[in-house]
Amino acid sequence: MLNRVLVGTPANEDPLTHYAELPARAARFADWPQWAHPAAVRALDEAGVRRPWTHQAEAASIAASGRNVVVSTGTASGKSLGYQLPILTALAVHPRATALYLAPTKALGADQLRSAQELTDSENDLRAIYPCSYDGDTPTEVRQWARANARWIFTNPDMLHVGILRGHERWAPFLRNLRYVVIDECHYYRGVFGSNVALVVRRLRRLCARYGADPVFVLASATTSEPGAAASRLIGAPCEEVVDDGSPHGPRTVALWEPPLLQHVTGENGAPIRRSAGSEASRIMADLVVEGARTVTFVRSRRGAELTALGTQRLLAEVDPDLPERVAAYRAGYLAEDRRELEAALADGTLLGAATTNALELGVDIAGLDAVVVAGFPGTVASFWQQAGRSGRRGEGSLVLLVARDDPLDTYLVHHPAALLDKPVEATVTDPTNPYVLGPQLLCAAMELPLSDDEVRAFGAWDVLTELAEHGLIRRRGHGWFVGAETNPHAALNIRGGIGMQVAIVDGGSGRMLGTSDAAKAPSTVYPGAVHIHQGESFVVDELDLDDGIALVHPENPDWTTSAREVTDIVIEDWLEQSTFGEVTVGLVRVEVSNQVIGYLRKLHSGEIVDAVDLDMPVQRLDTRAVVYTVTPELLMRAGIPPDRFPGSLHAAEHAAIGLLPLVATCDRWDIGGVSTALHRDTGLPTVFVYDGHQGGAGFADRGHAEIVRWLDATREAIDSCECTAGCPSCVQSPKCGNGNHPLDKDGAVLLLTAVLLELRSP
């Protein structure tokens, strides 16, 4: 299949940077555990599981013994059996026992519910389990029935937070008998969302203890670094890990692909730009579909998925008029019945190609594809392998092809394949101690059940609650901390959103609410004139009112995209950690970031700049955490960087470092920001900051500080391996630069980072 794709490549281009042949893996089986209930074994046998794979039996047995466990194995490796077997056994043996399942997406939860219903419908001993959904789409009468009768509830962290924990008295029988809690695709919970979920889980455990229960947690994760440690942070209790995958898969060819630089189109400041990953993926998918290969292309945005499908259909129409109808787009936002129809068509071969967002990454039972094309690195190695795992029929070969975007991280990976193919290098980052996350969560906990002083100290939240008490949000009495009945902290907390007030994005013509934006990010995302994409529809922002928390938009489909131009200042408030290595100092600091949007650029979809538009927006302030390093002017000059090149070298190194932080921390470059200066007033030295873009921090800067050598080494390699001459979006230019990507000194950044790394590695 790779040869077919290469044949379709113009003769003067050589986009293939690396390919590897991954050998097939044979299945390793185990016997059914002796503790397993016969009805559970029969049900799984009737579902096609004759014997469990080794990792399934190991995870199930750890859970059945009463210990928390996370199973971290590949896509389509049957992780579900690791919790299905102990849950079905416990619920068959103990007539009142209950179980709770949590999924990050509705599609995943619905798939797992269907599986549980099929298992319990087939066995008389299991029919009284009554698996049932309980989420925002569940009708009121079904919710009432579920509370009274269902022994296995399928929900999500949002509904657990606002629908179960808030009304826990009505759930008392269920919580009192709770034996197992499943947290599926737990690598999904990272950053502020993950930190919120970690505290929701702690609130669940607290209420279970109040009712006399101590449930076992079973977590399922994609292959990630240190899954046991990440799962332990998420649930707030020790968790064992199972990582030795016993499932089979056929041989795979994994190829890395870098689109060429365009010859006659330039971007900001005349920089070269690459052919877009989406258009390149369209051509590749068309070549594969012509060969009859069932192919899924993963694209990072909904609009991108639609455009990639349309581009593929257009190319196929030139070959065979019957082929375009065998390619479609698939994404979240479609009706459930439409999604199921597409899934079935893809599974039976009626549909040969689909362009999708990560809607097909989590949990939907689509495997056995001939090829997977990943248009732009999906942000984490875990997500890449989740997507890649959709390829490969049992025992047959398949192709996985990563097409690099114009991005420093993508550039690094296609030229350093070991970082992608050898083992995961990032860890899931959460920070449940963030006071901006912890405060609202503790108000919810106190509403559910008054907090004792010992609990507050255990949370490390005495100062947080004292400040909340000063604002009248909570009261301390002799025997605990109480929230007044007139308050509603659960409704005020959006566990998936940012921290603080949300800005509603509203179609001014129809009044339809399209979504929300964190107030701290709204000035740089929904400023007047910004292009806003919602479920494939394009809108332009007319007005942003931060006081009333609303952004008014109108439908429009312009030929350009927009990116904010900002000015940023940063002040160090406290050094949390500080280490000196010769002429380089590295630290983790608390900072106040002042940010102002001063305008935006309009860019054609090719990357070409149309114009720059000025704006006058209010200054936004952010208290957060940053990783910082300083260098002496003498070190820079010895490295070959004269003083007039200090600003451009530091600026280019900062941009590239932001782009590479996701290599060691599960974040997106839009979750973080940076500042560089040739003379910072708080350090008196040339300084580079990379900070978390969330109030209080989300743990990303902490991870960068812990992995600074590996991080900066990858940053230097990404810049050095880029084929451009003076800097481009694949190395040192940033789509979110407030200074118009000026000044930038690509060569100076390589010299700077080389000198810094020599100091950091010195004995």
Side-chain angles (χ1 to χ4, degrees), residues 192-274:
V192 170
F193 179 38
S195 301
N196 268 312
V197 171
L199 289 164
V200 170
V201 170
R202 284 158 175 76
R203 286 163 44 206
L204 170 64
R205 292 178 56 225
R206 176 174 180 255
L207 290 174
C208 286
R210 164 68 176 78
Y211 289 110
D214 185 17
V216 172
F217 284 79
V218 185
L219 300 93
S221 171
T223 306
T224 60
S225 177
E226 303 172 352
S232 298
R233 285 194 303 271
L234 185 64
I235 67 174
C239 190
E240 299 182 32
E241 64 181 42
V242 174
V243 297
D244 188 10
D245 194 336
S247 65
H249 69 66
R252 284 191 186 122
T253 299
V254 179
L256 308 181
W257 191 277
E258 185 175 45
L261 293 170
L262 296 173
Q263 297 299 313
H264 305 295
V265 180
T266 58
E268 196 166 2
N269 299 320
I273 57 177
R274 296 189 185 279

Side-chain angles (χ1 to χ4, degrees), residues 593-725:
V593 180
S594 302
N595 180 272
Q596 184 179 24
V597 175
I598 59 171
Y600 61 92
L601 296 177
R602 294 195 299 169
K603 299 181 182 180
L604 297 178
H605 296 300
S606 65
E608 188 176 357
I609 303 295
V610 177
D611 59 11
V613 179
D614 293 331
L615 291 173
D616 183 17
M617 303 284 288
V619 175
Q620 303 294 305
R621 303 192 187 281
L622 176 72
D623 290 309
T624 187
R625 293 159 75 99
V627 53
V628 58
Y629 67 88
T630 67
V631 296
T632 65
E634 293 77 13
L635 178 65
L636 292 178
M637 287 187 285
R638 285 201 306 276
I641 308 172
D644 64 322
R645 292 177 61 192
F646 285 6
S649 302
L650 293 159
H651 193 197
E654 170 223 323
H655 277 186
I658 290 171
L660 266 294
L661 185 57
L663 189 68
V664 297
T666 47
C667 63
D668 188 274
R669 71 187 299 167
W670 298 95
D671 291 322
I672 50 184
V675 173
S676 58
T677 175
L679 180 64
H680 192 268
R681 60 179 174 274
D682 292 333
T683 65
L685 292 166
T687 306
V688 174
F689 297 87
V690 175
Y691 61 86
D692 285 0
H694 299 275
Q695 288 286 357
F700 305 134
D702 295 60
R703 180 68 180 170
H705 178 258
E707 297 285 346
I708 192 163
V709 173
R710 187 198 308 177
W711 173 33
L712 294 186
D713 189 55
T715 302
R716 188 188 72 81
E717 289 296 319
I719 302 171
D720 197 40
S721 62
C722 185
E723 64 188 288
C724 73
T725 55

Side-chain angles (χ1 to χ4, degrees), residues 2 12 119 162 198 274 385 416 550 715:
L2 181 57
N12 62 339
L119 291 171
V162 78
R274 296 189 185 279
W385 286 114
H416 298 83
I550 188 170
T715 302

Side-chain angles (χ1 to χ4, degrees), residues 20-31:
E21 301 289 349
L22 304 187
R25 183 178 64 212
R28 288 180 289 127
F29 292 99
D31 293 328

Side-chain angles (χ1 to χ4, degrees), residues 186-495:
C186 64
H187 63 280
Y188 196 89
Y189 302 114
R190 57 185 187 261
V192 170
F193 179 38
S195 301
N196 268 312
V197 171
L199 289 164
V200 170
V201 170
R202 284 158 175 76
R203 286 163 44 206
L204 170 64
R205 292 178 56 225
R206 176 174 180 255
L207 290 174
C208 286
R210 164 68 176 78
Y211 289 110
D214 185 17
V216 172
F217 284 79
V218 185
L219 300 93
S221 171
T223 306
T224 60
S225 177
E226 303 172 352
S232 298
R233 285 194 303 271
L234 185 64
I235 67 174
C239 190
E240 299 182 32
E241 64 181 42
V242 174
V243 297
D244 188 10
D245 194 336
S247 65
H249 69 66
R252 284 191 186 122
T253 299
V254 179
L256 308 181
W257 191 277
E258 185 175 45
L261 293 170
L262 296 173
Q263 297 299 313
H264 305 295
V265 180
T266 58
E268 196 166 2
N269 299 320
I273 57 177
R274 296 189 185 279
R275 186 183 300 147
S276 76
S279 62
E280 193 84 335
S282 292
R283 186 187 66 76
I284 292 169
M285 183 157 67
D287 287 341
L288 291 167
V289 168
V290 166
E291 290 294 297
R294 283 195 284 169
T295 305
V296 161
T297 297
F298 287 96
V299 188
R300 286 176 60 100
S301 71
R302 293 175 175 183
R303 188 167 188 268
E306 301 278 5
L307 292 174
T308 299
L310 288 172
T312 304
Q313 291 168 343
R314 186 171 60 251
L315 292 169
L316 290 172
E318 299 172 3
V319 178
D320 183 339
D322 294 329
L323 282 177
E325 65 185 28
R326 302 190 69 183
V327 172
Y330 177 108
R331 58 170 174 76
Y334 287 174
L335 295 175
E337 55 266 29
D338 293 335
R339 291 202 307 269
R340 299 295 171 229
E341 185 178 336
L342 287 169
E343 290 162 19
L346 195 58
D348 66 18
T350 304
L351 199 63
L352 279 176
T356 180
T357 59
N358 65 353
L360 278 178
E361 176 185 325
L362 295 180
V364 179
D365 189 18
I366 296 292
L369 298 165
D370 298 304
V372 165
V373 180
V374 182
F377 181 63
T380 68
V381 176
S383 288
F384 172 78
W385 286 114
Q386 284 283 98
Q387 295 176 358
R390 294 295 172 197
S391 70
R393 303 176 190 178
R394 291 283 183 259
E396 296 188 20
S398 61
L399 172 67
V400 178
L401 197 151
L402 171 64
V403 182
R405 289 184 305 149
D406 232 353
D407 180 90
L409 181 54
D410 289 44
T411 300
Y412 176 79
L413 290 172
V414 296
H415 290 284
H416 298 83
L420 187 65
L421 303 180
D422 284 2
K423 64 178 183 179
V425 292
E426 79 263 310
T428 302
V429 174
T430 55
D431 181 18
T433 66
N434 179 341
Y436 293 90
V437 175
L438 187 56
Q441 286 279 353
L442 288 179
L443 292 178
C444 294
M447 172 67 80
E448 293 154 5
L449 194 69
L451 288 162
S452 69
D453 287 350
D454 288 343
E455 286 179 314
V456 174
R457 293 188 184 97
F459 274 111
W462 194 272
D463 292 342
V464 174
L465 284 191
T466 300
E467 184 175 344
L468 291 172
E470 291 173 356
H471 289 87
L473 297 173
I474 194 168
R475 295 190 294 275
R476 180 170 181 263
R477 296 175 180 167
H479 53 293
W481 298 75
F482 294 79
V483 172
E486 69 281 358
T487 61
N488 190 1
H490 294 77
L493 173 58
N494 175 9
I495 65 171

